[in-house]
Amino acid sequence: MKYLKQLSTYTLLGFIGAGVNFFLMPYLSHFLETWEYGVLSMVNSLVTILIPLIGLSVAGYINVEYYKIKDKREFASVFSTVQLIPVFPFLFFLFITFIFANPIAAFLEIPLRQSYWIPLSSILAVLTIYYETLIGLNIIQQKPGPYSFFVLLKLVVEVILTVYFVAYLHYGWEGRLLSWVISNLLLFVLAFIYFKKAGLLTGHIKKEYRLAALSFGLPLILHVVSKFVINQSDRIFITRMVSIDEAGIYNIGYQVGAVIALFVGAVVSFLQPYLFERLAGLSRRMEVQIVRVSYIIILGLLAILLFLTFAAPLFFKHLINVKYQEGIRYVFWVGLGYFFWGVYVVFAGYIYFFKKTKILGFLAIVNVVLNIALNYLLISKFGAIGAAYATCISFFVVMLIIMKFSTKFVQLPWFNFNLIFSKKND
């Protein structure tokens, strides 16, 4: 079926593009010390938290309005208005991270002589925002050609530069970050050219669209920050409560378990525009298609979890340096947590479409409070493995809540299996 072909295409390429850290992990484990991997995870955590604070989570507004605004000039006005929103937050956080570079570096246990990576993290964050806007636009416009080109170009450039800086110039953990900066800067330039040629950059900036985008995005900041708390703050807790070396080992195990998250990210790139297009003109046939694809995604994520569980010992034995072998104990629990997150993402699409993003803000508060409490309590009791337990429990709780909320907005035939698997609805 056509939509399954699209799903497989965007999922595969999205996984490849988002999984650059995973693909480089076995190679880098032979060049970087455990503390260096810990530092990398801290910088990545900072970039991750800065992305929603700078971008204000307004990019999703473009995806929703694409299927509602038919006039190309009007959509260009929406697009251009949204692209300007991150500029002032970026300048603010660039100033803050520059002024407080040393205190932030000390807290994250990043060497003070390399504290310049703190303000550089703000630059990395804003470049990432515009790269994600670029590939997101390719998806909603159903242009797999440009999507494939940009994703693969970034991957190739980043991998080549990483190998060059780390293995040949011996820049250590900074070499990995330097390759990240250069590849994102290249894609930022290409994104600007692409947007310009597509006629999406215009001087018709409208206050009404800026306010609407902010109304859509601001509640999502809590939502995205809560995701950070789940998948990044555990490193901070381990660094502070155990050691920076253990944070590096944990980071390796976490990346293997979080392979499911790469598939979730790739799938959502396909699922949201697919879902929004069908909800905009909902019929019984489209209801069945939505449910069918949702089941395929959930079962696919479950299959990946099972594969990871059984393949992890072989992966660590043959590909990962011996000093990181203890990381295997984190894989299953992190993977199970991200399976729950994948189910959460499937149901969150309805909240986005009906612009009830305040619900996601509420869930974010629940998520943050629960995860911080669990991280502290479980790490204190069980050591670093407690962070993996906290990830799993937190994702499970928010998954149950989002399923309850989403079914209130649209009733779909989730358990009508005769209808779901009828060929008439292909």
Side-chain angles (χ1 to χ4, degrees):
M1 292 176 283
K2 180 180 178 182
Y3 60 84
L4 289 180
K5 182 179 179 181
Q6 293 176 342
L7 173 60
S8 61
T9 299
Y10 288 119
T11 300
L12 176 61
L13 290 172
F15 171 77
I16 292 173
V20 60
N21 285 327
F22 175 76
F23 297 134
L24 285 170
M25 177 178 51
Y27 180 79
L28 291 177
S29 70
H30 295 278
F31 291 91
L32 302 181
E33 298 298 325
T34 54
W35 72 267
E36 290 185 283
Y37 241 112
V39 172
L40 276 178
S41 69
M42 291 299 99
V43 175
N44 185 68
S45 295
L46 181 58
V47 174
T48 302
I49 192 64
L50 284 172
I51 287 174
L53 296 178
I54 292 174
L56 302 179
S57 299
V58 295
Y61 181 74
I62 297 172
N63 297 344
V64 174
E65 293 303 303
Y66 179 80
Y67 296 103
K68 298 179 180 180
I69 298 178
K70 303 303 180 182
D71 185 89
K72 292 184 178 180
R73 291 184 178 180
E74 200 63 25
F75 179 73
S77 179
V78 172
F79 186 87
S80 297
T81 301
V82 170
Q83 301 320 302
L84 287 178
I85 291 176
V87 173
F88 291 108
F90 163 65
L91 294 175
F92 171 77
F93 281 103
L94 181 63
F95 174 76
I96 293 297
T97 51
F98 178 78
I99 295 297
F100 297 102
N102 282 351
I104 296 173
F107 176 76
L108 297 177
E109 296 200 15
I110 296 171
L112 291 182
R113 64 182 179 275
Q114 282 105 1
S115 63
Y116 47 78
W117 282 107
I118 303 303
L120 281 174
S121 295
S122 296
I123 297 174
L124 265 172
V126 76
L127 293 177
T128 301
I129 289 168
Y130 288 114
Y131 167 70
E132 292 177 349
T133 300
L134 171 65
I135 61 174
L137 180 67
N138 293 152
I139 292 172
I140 63 172
Q141 292 182 328
Q142 299 184 24
K143 293 183 176 180
Y147 174 85
S148 304
F149 171 77
F150 292 125
V151 168
L152 294 177
L153 176 64
K154 184 176 184 296
L155 174 67
V156 170
V157 171
E158 201 165 330
V159 169
I160 291 175
L161 290 177
T162 297
V163 172
Y164 177 68
F165 291 138
V166 174
Y168 290 93
L169 297 184
H170 305 290
Y171 284 179
W173 61 272
E174 288 189 282
R176 174 69 190 99
L177 293 178
L178 188 58
S179 70
W180 191 12
V181 172
I182 295 174
S183 62
N184 275 19
L185 185 60
L186 171 63
L187 268 296
F188 171 78
V189 174
L190 293 178
F192 179 83
I193 295 172
Y194 184 85
F195 297 153
K196 188 69 175 177
K197 289 187 175 181
L200 291 170
L201 299 181
T202 175
H204 299 292
I205 308 302
K206 294 188 177 181
K207 180 179 179 181
E208 61 186 280
Y209 291 141
R210 182 173 67 253
L211 294 177
L214 289 172
S215 177
F216 175 90
L218 289 177
L220 293 177
I221 294 178
L222 283 174
H223 176 252
V224 179
V225 168
S226 74
K227 185 181 177 184
F228 161 81
V229 171
I230 294 288
N231 65 16
Q232 298 292 334
S233 67
D234 45 9
R235 278 83 152 177
I236 299 175
F237 272 100
I238 293 172
T239 298
R240 306 297 298 180
M241 296 175 68
V242 186
S243 70
I244 188 71
D245 291 274
E246 188 61 35
I249 295 171
Y250 176 85
N251 194 44
I252 292 288
Y254 191 100
Q255 283 185 301
V256 177
V259 165
I260 295 179
L262 301 180
F263 279 98
V264 172
V267 164
V268 74
S269 297
F270 160 82
L271 180 62
Q272 282 197 356
Y274 177 90
L275 179 65
F276 295 165
E277 183 179 15
R278 279 151 183 78
L279 288 176
L282 197 61
S283 65
R284 173 59 70 176
R285 181 170 175 268
M286 291 183 177
E287 288 179 358
V288 172
Q289 288 180 355
I290 291 171
V291 172
R292 189 183 295 174
V293 167
S294 299
Y295 273 129
I296 290 172
I297 291 171
I298 293 171
L299 291 175
L301 294 176
L302 181 60
I304 296 170
L305 174 61
L306 295 175
F307 174 79
L308 277 180
T309 302
F310 291 106
L314 293 174
F315 181 81
F316 273 82
K317 180 179 179 180
H318 296 290
L319 296 177
I320 302 298
N321 189 280
V322 65
K323 60 192 172 189
Y324 292 99
Q325 290 301 307
E326 291 185 12
I328 192 173
R329 65 194 184 113
Y330 303 116
V331 173
F332 171 75
W333 293 105
V334 172
L336 181 60
Y338 274 104
F339 168 74
F340 295 144
W341 176 257
V343 179
Y344 171 95
V345 166
V346 168
F347 286 90
Y350 305 97
I351 309 298
Y352 284 102
F353 180 81
F354 291 103
K355 299 180 181 179
K356 303 295 183 179
T357 50
K358 291 181 180 179
I359 293 175
L360 299 180
F362 162 74
L363 284 177
I365 296 173
V366 173
N367 206 359
V368 168
V369 173
L370 178 63
N371 190 253
I372 288 177
L374 288 175
N375 263 313
Y376 180 77
L377 293 173
L378 296 179
I379 293 174
S380 297
K381 184 174 180 60
F382 300 106
I385 190 66
Y389 297 156
T391 295
C392 187
I393 295 171
S394 300
F395 279 145
F396 178 70
V397 171
V398 295
M399 177 195 73
L400 293 179
I401 298 175
I402 198 72
M403 291 173 70
K404 179 68 175 178
F405 272 116
S406 64
T407 54
K408 293 182 178 181
F409 298 111
V410 57
Q411 298 295 321
L412 298 177
W414 290 104
F415 301 106
N416 190 338
F417 297 109
N418 289 331
L419 182 64
I420 293 170
F421 296 108
S422 173
K423 293 184 177 180
K424 294 180 181 179
N425 294 294
D426 288 343

